């Protein structure tokens, strides 16, 4: 890569660094630089592929407030919907955005990168596919300090998953938490199983990790005759089709399911549930008479699948509305906006 400095550009165009700087920062009229000179320099910049040093220009004040958008973890599910909505908002409002994508363990580096660009505010979109719902990253003391520096919104915060003290520390530092709790939806679902006398349950182990001791979910689980778990099938397989993942998972679990006669299987994805249902149906199991499956997300394409399976609907629109409202009002004073996911008998 060959990045030209302002000094090199000045030398190649026969001007000074001051002239180049004025043109880069759109101050050329104030400095009484002619239109002809401006056009000539801009043409030279295009010909050379010149890009200003962002490290230097970020130290200069921009009249427009730049938003930092950090996507932490795999872009998956309703996070993509949030990005689409934010994209329209930023374009409509002509808001400049600096965007960064960070992997697990890289939340701190992502925040520092955006703050190095002197963003005025931060939006962190937490992926649901991170390990233990970003717990390690969020509990890092240095990251908690970073959130205190710039007004921040943490979107898709997993209420009820982490210790209450973490939520309070983030809110106390001025962060706005927007998210939902799965507990109410799963509690509602588990109670309905008990009433229907569906007592043999097979659960994705990532979902089972939500059933903490002492919670209502944990107490409800004690009422089942049998509750077993299976490994989350999407670990390290986010690039694969979830429907196909579900088909493969069903084939692996089929003999076990027939042996123990499970009534219900809890999955982490509507597409996985539909893939599993397809294999079960072909193997002679009647859905929902012999076995049924719970999905997650209530994706828009559900009406086009063969099986009508229950699902948990993520309150995406409510969360996005709150996020956009926060951006418009800029009322970032440290608060928690928590909504409940709903059990949908699709």
């Amino acid at each position: 890569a060959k990045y030209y400095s302002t000094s090199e550009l000045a030398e190649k165009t026969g001007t000074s660094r001051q002239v180049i700087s004025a043109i880069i920062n759109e101050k050329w009229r104030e400095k009484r630089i002619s239109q002809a000179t401006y056009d000539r320099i801009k043409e030279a910049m295009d010909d050379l592929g010149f890009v200003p040093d962002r490290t230097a220009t970020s130290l200069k004040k921009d009249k427009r407030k730049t938003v930092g958008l950090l996507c932490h973890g795999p872009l998956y599910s309703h996070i993509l919907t949030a990005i689409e909505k934010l994209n329209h908002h930023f374009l409509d409002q002509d808001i400049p955005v600096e965007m960064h994508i960070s992997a697990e363990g890289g939340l701190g580096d992502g925040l520092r990168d955006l703050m190095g660009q002197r963003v005025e505010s931060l939006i962190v979109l937490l992926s649901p596919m991170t390990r233990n719902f970003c717990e390690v990253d969020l509990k890092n003391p240095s990251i908690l300090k970073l959130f205190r520096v710039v007004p921040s919104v943490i979107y898709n915060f997993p209420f009820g998953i982490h210790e209450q003290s973490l939520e309070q520390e983030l809110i106390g530092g001025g962060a706005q938490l927007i998210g939902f709790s799965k507990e109410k939806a799963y509690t509602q679902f588990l109670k309905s199983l008990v009433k229907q006398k569906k007592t043999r349950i097979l659960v994705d182990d990532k979902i089972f990790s939500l059933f903490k001791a002492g919670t209502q979910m944990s107490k409800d689980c004690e009422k089942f005759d049998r509750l077993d778990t299976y490994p989350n099938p999407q670990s390290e397989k986010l690039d694969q089709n979830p429907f196909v993942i579900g088909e493969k998972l069903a084939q692996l679990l089929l003999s076990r399911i027939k042996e123990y006669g499970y009534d219900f299987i809890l999955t982490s994805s509507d597409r996985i549930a539909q893939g599993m249902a397809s294999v079960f149906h072909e193997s002679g199991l009647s859905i929902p008479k012999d076995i049924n499956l719970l999905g997650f997300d209530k994706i828009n394409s559900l009406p086009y699948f063969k099986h009508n399976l229950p699902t948990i609907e993520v309150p995406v629109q409510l969360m996005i509305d709150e996020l956009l409202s926060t951006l418009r009002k800029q009322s970032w004073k440290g608060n928690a906006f928590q909504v409940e996911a709903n059990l949908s008998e699709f």
Side-chain angles (χ1 to χ4, degrees), residues 234-270:
Q234 283 187 297
S235 299
E236 313 299 332
K237 297 179 182 178
L238 294 177
D239 58 334
Q240 297 183 21
N241 186 315
F243 187 90
V244 176
I245 290 177
E247 288 181 316
K248 294 179 180 178
L249 177 62
Q251 291 165 356
L252 289 173
L253 295 177
L254 191 56
S255 60
R256 180 180 172 187
I257 288 168
K258 290 183 175 180
E259 179 181 357
Y260 294 111
Y262 293 109
D263 301 306
F264 235 105
I265 299 178
L266 279 63
T267 76
S268 59
S269 159
D270 287 329

Side-chain angles (χ1 to χ4, degrees), residues 1-5 8 48-51:
K2 172 60 177 174
Y3 290 111
Y4 290 94
S5 67
E8 291 173 317
L48 293 171
F50 174 82
V51 178

